[in-house]
Amino acid sequence: TGQLGGLVSVEATDIATGRADVVVTFGTLRYLTEIKRELTNSAPASLEGKYVRQAAEYGNTNVPFGQLLVLDLTPHPDGAPRVDESVWVARHRPPGTTTDRTVIVGVVAGNRPTPHDLSS
């Protein structure tokens, strides 16, 4: 419902022969977002190694980039990263292709300590 009613679908099937978590449609453009939960290692290289190939594959169905959103449930005892440290662009080139696929990666920190918990 609301302003995005009819523009957003979840668990959409038959997308790149699979199922996409969230699809937002604006006219003929479809923006697909793969959503993951990370419990062990939220380092960018680790997240890219685990998830970027899948997000890139969904992204090649329409728009020139895929989107990956990760809920980071690893501990953050020293404080959570800033938003600008949690969003980046990753590239993936599937074997046998000549063009990189681009994925916008965003990480949302869960298990965040409160500012009071960081006081010594």
Side-chain angles (χ1 to χ4, degrees), residues 32-86:
L32 291 88
T33 303
E34 181 63 26
I35 300 175
K36 298 294 187 183
R37 176 181 64 159
E38 182 57 40
L39 299 170
T40 58
N41 185 349
S42 63
S46 176
L47 296 177
E48 288 182 23
K50 290 179 185 177
Y51 308 125
V52 162
R53 287 179 301 185
Q54 182 180 5
E57 191 64 25
Y58 289 133
N60 77 18
T61 61
N62 187 271
V63 295
F65 61 88
Q67 299 175 116
L68 171 64
L69 183 61
V70 180
L71 175 59
D72 174 10
L73 294 176
T74 64
H76 297 282
D78 298 322
R82 290 171 36 111
V83 170
D84 60 352
E85 297 170 321
S86 302

Side-chain angles (χ1 to χ4, degrees), residues 73-111:
L73 294 176
T74 64
H76 297 282
D78 298 322
R82 290 171 36 111
V83 170
D84 60 352
E85 297 170 321
S86 302
V87 177
W88 67 93
V89 175
R91 297 193 183 283
H92 169 68
R93 182 174 294 183
T97 66
T98 59
T99 305
D100 286 349
R101 311 274 168 79
T102 304
V103 176
I104 299 169
V105 181
V107 179
V108 176
N111 293 335

